[in-house]
Amino acid sequence: MSRICELTGKGRQVGNNVSHANNKTKRVFLPNLQNVTLLSESLDRGFKFRVSTHGLRSVEHVGGLDNWLLKTADTKLSPRALKVKRELAKAQKAA
């Protein structure tokens, strides 16, 4: 399972540990990923995603999962999130 947020695409970053003697060794910064169930208002269902805490705050700020998926580019979303986005678009056309 890769360490990438399914909604924002946020992944690992590489940097250096710097010692007191200014020695530099490579290290990895991992995103804070959480398993969460986000509710879709228009589909009346919950969807499980692996989301970074920053992504979770962004979803809440925009107004929920439905608004987030419709406003986000397809390149940032995971295949599961794209599937939910297609279901949302289909439900909106039907309504």
Side-chain angles (χ1 to χ4, degrees), residues 18-86:
V18 181
S19 71
H20 186 66
N22 206 27
N23 296 331
K24 295 171 183 73
T25 56
K26 286 289 188 183
R27 64 156 295 177
V28 175
F29 295 94
L30 296 174
N32 184 7
L33 296 178
Q34 305 294 323
N35 294 319
V36 293
T37 302
L38 298 172
L39 299 175
S40 170
E41 296 167 0
S42 57
L43 297 176
D44 293 326
R45 284 181 45 195
F47 296 96
K48 289 187 178 183
F49 290 111
R50 196 159 190 227
V51 183
S52 64
T53 53
H54 179 270
L56 194 57
R57 290 183 68 216
S58 299
V59 169
E60 294 296 322
H61 180 75
V62 170
L65 180 65
D66 298 345
N67 291 338
W68 173 263
L69 289 175
L70 295 175
K71 291 181 180 181
T72 306
D74 291 350
T75 56
K76 282 190 174 182
L77 299 174
S78 70
R80 287 184 358 170
L82 279 173
K83 189 175 179 181
V84 176
K85 185 175 180 176
R86 283 192 296 269

